[in-house]
Structures are given as structure tokens and as C-alpha cells.
Amino acid sequence: MPPRTTSGSTALASAIRERRIALNLSIDEAAAKAGVGAKSWSRYESGAAIRRDKVRGVCRALGWSKLPGDVHSSDKAEDDWLRKIDQSHDAWSEALNELYSQACATTFAVGSDLVHDHLADDLRALAEHPRGTHLGQLAASWFDGELPPQFLPRYDYEFVYELRAAVIRLRRRFAHGDLVAHTVLEELALYLIFEEAELLADMSPALFDEEEDDWREWLAGILGDTDVELLLFTSDLALTPDVSYHFDHWNERQFYVTEGGESTEA
């Protein structure tokens, strides 16, 4: 796997802070431009590592083409690494490869690796706090700000454990050709996995040709719609308990109506 973060350092932290001040930006303003939380930005200015998928946003906010002293592997090396992802990978889905493309199968395999590892990190952090602590209360979290904001207080240790279990189920199911998400929680896990596609596309533009492949079309093709994105991330409406995408129903199996009018489990 590629490095998940850009290593932090006092020199990089100072450069970020000095550049922000030179641009007359507050931490909140810089964080908003970068698409990260103010808490995350404060950590960057304290020398913390920066997630690879957040680097572009930080550079955009500061008007940089790249981070000072960025010594990532060459594009060719990263591209070669991604092209080596194949049937030998535990989460490789030949069904995704055949129905969509190699890029889609690679996205799922590597994206599910990353999401699983990030969730494991957050579990370790939550385990060090009292029961009931949620992700927003941690000093550092991979998924603080990455999950539907309406239900933030519900993202405790048990929830993160269940979300990681959903990722594991999807990996096993997709590897055996069963391209189905049975619950909203599994839809959410799949959405988070495909969000990693943007990072992978930056690494290997030749493999991830955005003119030919659309990440959202893949997601909608597998789920049948984009309700998980529309209802949980882009809508400003508060979901009520009678809506299937409300947190209280995330672990319930979903049903759909067939052409014959019969109700069938997803």
C-alpha cells in the first residue's frame, strides 16, 4: 500500500502557519478552503501528519502547487504499484472488473484497505476514552467530518466497530461476485470506499481516466441509486426516524419491490 499520510514535521507546520498568516486567513477560513475541519488544520500547524487525500486541499487553500519538501514517490512508481493490484488481492472483485473496469476493481480493493485501516485507527483511539465518546470528541480522527454530520454523537466505539465489520463483509461478498449492499450501513461503507477513488485517481491518471470512468456511475450502478449520498451528505433536511436512512435503521436489511409486485430482500 502507498503511504497513507504526508509525514508531519515542525518545518512543514511552520511553513503552513506562516503561509496562512501571510494570506490573512484564520484557521477556520483556511480549513474551509481546504475542505477539512478546523481541528484538523490546527493539527497540521502542530506538526501532525496530513492525509494524502487532504494534501491537495491544503495546497489549494495556501496557493501552493505542492507541499514544501514533498518527497512522495514518482507518479510512475505509484502508477506501477496500482497496476499490480489484481486477483491476488484479498478484496479483488472480478465481477467489478468485468462489469465496469479494472479501475473500479482496483478502487474497491485499495479503497477498502484504506477505509478498514482508518477505522481500526479510530477504534484504537476510542478505546482509550470513556464509553460513549464519539469521533468528534477525539483529538484526531480519520472520519471526523467524513460521516453524515446529523448523527455525529452516535459515532462511538460500537458504531465504528460495526462500520468496520460492514467493510469486511463487503470485501468478502464482492470478492465472491455478490455486488450487493444489504443495509444502509453497508451502503455508507461502500460510499466511503469509493470516496478514496479521488486519491487513487491523483496517483494514477492513466489508470483512472475520468473521461471514460465515472466514480458516481459505478456507485449508482452497484447500489441502484445515489440515495446514500443525496440523503446523508448533500441534503440539508433533517432525517426523521420514519425515514429508512435515519441512523436508527442503518443496520436493517433493505427491501425492494420486484416487477411482479413482490417484496424482496436486497
Side-chain angles (χ1 to χ4, degrees):
M1 293 177 61
R4 298 179 308 179
T5 61
T6 292
S7 299
S9 68
T10 55
L12 178 58
S14 296
I16 291 174
R17 182 175 183 276
E18 290 172 5
R19 178 63 173 172
R20 174 181 62 79
I21 294 174
L23 293 174
N24 197 30
L25 296 173
S26 67
I27 288 179
D28 287 339
E29 290 170 337
K33 287 179 176 290
V36 302
K39 187 162 57 176
S40 294
W41 188 280
S42 295
R43 293 199 301 270
Y44 303 157
E45 293 193 5
S46 298
I50 303 175
R51 278 176 50 173
R52 289 290 305 276
D53 56 336
K54 302 300 183 184
V55 169
R56 185 168 59 177
V58 172
C59 290
R60 180 175 62 245
L62 299 176
W64 287 338
S65 60
K66 64 178 182 178
L67 293 178
D70 193 349
V71 292
H72 293 319
S73 302
S74 67
D75 290 342
K76 183 180 185 303
E78 303 247 1
D79 181 78
D80 289 344
W81 174 83
L82 286 169
R83 289 183 181 279
K84 291 179 181 178
I85 302 299
D86 57 18
Q87 292 88 340
S88 63
H89 192 285
D90 290 341
W92 177 265
S93 174
E94 189 58 30
L96 285 178
N97 184 37
E98 293 179 357
L99 288 174
Y100 297 97
S101 68
Q102 178 187 355
C104 182
T106 302
T107 295
F108 180 79
V110 181
S112 62
D113 276 345
L114 294 171
V115 172
H116 178 277
D117 289 352
H118 297 340
L119 290 170
D121 287 345
D122 278 353
L123 278 175
R124 282 189 287 269
L126 286 168
E128 297 175 356
H129 291 75
R131 183 177 182 179
T133 300
H134 61 74
L135 293 179
Q137 295 173 307
L138 297 178
S141 164
W142 286 103
F143 288 100
D144 180 23
E146 304 299 322
L147 294 168
Q150 179 177 346
F151 306 110
L152 175 60
R154 311 288 286 272
Y155 303 148
D156 57 10
Y157 185 95
E158 291 184 5
F159 166 77
V160 176
Y161 190 94
E162 291 175 352
L163 182 56
R164 186 183 63 167
V167 172
I168 294 172
R169 289 195 300 271
L170 286 170
R171 286 165 60 90
R172 293 173 178 170
R173 194 178 302 145
F174 278 40
H176 287 86
D178 186 7
L179 307 182
V180 178
H182 291 301
T183 65
V184 172
L185 188 64
E186 290 182 357
E187 289 187 22
L188 176 60
L190 190 58
Y191 176 84
L192 295 173
I193 290 169
F194 275 86
E195 281 294 287
E196 296 291 342
E198 182 177 351
L199 170 59
L200 299 177
D202 286 345
M203 291 180 180
S204 181
L207 179 60
F208 296 84
D209 188 340
E210 295 186 4
E211 293 184 359
E212 297 182 4
D213 299 315
D214 188 311
W215 316 120
R216 290 298 174 262
E217 286 185 8
W218 291 348
L219 189 63
I222 294 170
L223 298 181
D225 55 47
T226 57
D227 286 353
V228 65
E229 180 180 20
L230 294 174
L231 295 177
L232 296 182
F233 291 95
T234 62
S235 174
D236 293 329
L237 298 177
L239 298 179
T240 55
D242 60 312
V243 177
S244 62
Y245 280 82
H246 187 277
F247 183 89
D248 290 345
H249 307 296
W250 283 5
N251 268 320
E252 297 175 1
R253 291 180 71 89
Q254 301 298 298
F255 293 82
Y256 65 92
V257 178
T258 67
E259 292 183 1
E262 299 179 352
S263 179
T264 306
E265 280 191 325

